[in-house]
Amino acid sequence: MSLISVSHLIYKYNHQDTQNALDNITFNVDEGEWLSIIGPNGSGKSTLVKAIDGLIHINNENSVLINGQSYNKNANQIRSQIGMVFQNPDNQFIASTVEDDVAFGLENRNIDFNKMKTIVEQSLKLVGMYEYRDSKPENLSGGQKQRVALAGIISLKPRIILLDEATSMLDPNGKISMLNLIRKIKQKFHLTIISVTHDVNEVEYSNQTLILKHGKIINKAPSKRILLDANLLWKNGLDIPFYRKLIYQLKQKKIHVPSSIVSEKELLKWVIQSSLMT
Amino acid sequence: MGDSIVFNDVNFSYHSNDLSHQALKDINLKIPYHSFTAIVGKTGSGKSTLVQQINGLLKPTSGTVMVGNSIISNKTPDKKLFKLRKKVGIVFQFPEHQLFEDTVLKDVCFGPKNIGYNDNDVMTLAEKSLQVVDFPKRLYDQSPFNLSGGQMRRVAIAGVLAMNPKILILDEPTAGLDQIGKRSIMNLIYNLYCKRNLTIIMVTHQMSDVSDYADHVIVMNNGKMVKMTTPRLLFENYNLVLHNNLRMPEVVNFAYHLKQNGVSFSKIPLNIKELTTLIVNKLHR
């Protein structure tokens, strides 16, 4: 049995809407997988993640099953297994210090004080934010805030983490270090990850990629294969690798670039050799 | 003097009694009207603080900011800043988080209403702005919260344009959008710059937007202005880029690798067209 199973999921925001926000979506995610969900703005990515997180009401309860259970019957049990990191870190803070914020979720679960202290400490150390435990969340940078949000989630020992454009507000270096951290945590706890993104770099971290358009799945394949298809990425709002754009421009100028070239390094080497030969 | 934005010895601290943590230090600069200026620097370098001085949202702790004939200093009363806010519009980071009305049209009307336009003008300005940002008319009565990220961003920009600013400040206008959204928002901004003759000041992490669109670039580091220059001169200066934690645009990076490997050129290419021409010339020589 798959850990996450979505079958024939249909969702509308309003009854009057002629178009379904999610239109007959079916897919599975196995334990330990990292699935990217990509697609143009407005394709239904965030709605789909909300459905998996139980944040929107689904009419057919069996269309979203987590570990075989439905939200209608076992909402609390499911929620304890899922953590979600949102796009805007400012919207996720409740307490006035980093430490209290991480402790917030645990307090709600009636965990013994000393045990709670240990868990908070471990979680903050894991994300590299322990030295900021007494800081006010509002004084942290965007990347630091996302790390604290992640610590709060890890402290609750989830099996699944959902990332809704969690790195899109970070600068390029911040993105990479956040993604490396998520990969590390995923391996350490054998987590399952679903990330909504339109960042090519983030897709590279995942094993599987699902493409949504107008609320429908138009493709699901290993991420490696999706990343090779520049045209597919471009059409779906993702940036295509720079060297592909350059090859396209050169071909327009009747320069024949060998089709065996599949990286920027190889293109660079080819240009250097060809221009020094002439 | 009347046709530029001038910073004179501007210092700023969020806690005015504590000058040890200054967000801006000794800023002196001049941005001509009708130019496109990019502001770059790593997170926390003072970029957003800098632009908020231009419409008086933040007042300098010491020094003065002049926008045309208006002067902003520590002593400027807030009442006087009101006029300035008509002239200078700011689109903040993730402006869609500030949408709040129950329809798109009402949200865009809020700004011009607030600065005192009469009801007829408000409606004309709002509808015109929504047209400028290419927002479909059939969605005017939708709740802004049912829109996609890219559409929400357009509504937020329309809300600022509806106040008819002469100077448009944008703080990371394409952050969080997909490539299609990014391209269309940048085209929109560039059109406003070319056709409406606005002064554009844009905070960005996207170095390719700097090389593709800007005519001036300001480099910030740790609250100080390190350099004000042109994109070409910035990207020709490898050390300046690296020391300020910036990245080279991919085009420039590729060109540098060519140069290091013996493919020489006199002028660094700034965009993919220039790079293509350079390579074509080398191969056809």
Side-chain angles (χ1 to χ4, degrees), chain B residues 210-227:
Chain B
V210 177
S211 55
D212 283 348
Y213 300 103
D215 26 62
H216 301 284
V217 53
I218 291 171
V219 181
M220 295 294 293
N221 195 344
N222 200 17
K224 288 188 176 148
M225 185 181 88
V226 181
K227 190 107 186 161

Side-chain angles (χ1 to χ4, degrees), chain A residues 40-42 87-88 165 169 171 173 198 234 237-239 242 245 249 255 264 268 271-272 274-275 278, chain B residues 43 94 97 148 150 176-180 183 205 247 250-251 254 257-258 261 263 272 276 282-283 285:
Chain A
N41 283 331
Q87 181 181 45
N88 187 350
E165 301 193 22
M169 285 181 83
D171 63 38
N173 296 329
H198 27 68
W234 182 251
L238 271 83
D239 204 0
F242 163 72
K245 289 186 209 163
Q249 293 287 336
I255 301 277
E264 185 168 334
L268 189 66
V271 173
I272 292 164
S274 322
S275 59
T278 51
Chain B
T43 309
F94 293 85
H97 293 154
S148 70
L177 297 181
D178 67 12
Q179 283 307 311
I180 297 168
R183 279 198 300 274
H205 282 293
R247 291 175 165 217
E250 285 166 315
V251 168
F254 196 90
H257 283 299
L258 289 179
N261 287 284
V263 182
I272 201 153
T276 308
K282 289 288 171 191
L283 297 188
R285 199 174 42 183

Side-chain angles (χ1 to χ4, degrees), chain B residues 40-51:
Chain B
V40 299
K42 67 172 180 177
T43 309
S45 59
K47 304 184 297 292
S48 300
T49 311
L50 182 80
V51 295

Side-chain angles (χ1 to χ4, degrees), chain B residues 27 50 59 113 143 171 194 214 216 245 250 256 273 281:
Chain B
I27 308 281
L50 182 80
K59 287 188 270 189
K113 207 181 222 166
S143 159
D171 197 348
C194 296
H216 301 284
N245 287 295
E250 285 166 315
Y256 265 111
K273 286 231 160 70
N281 288 340

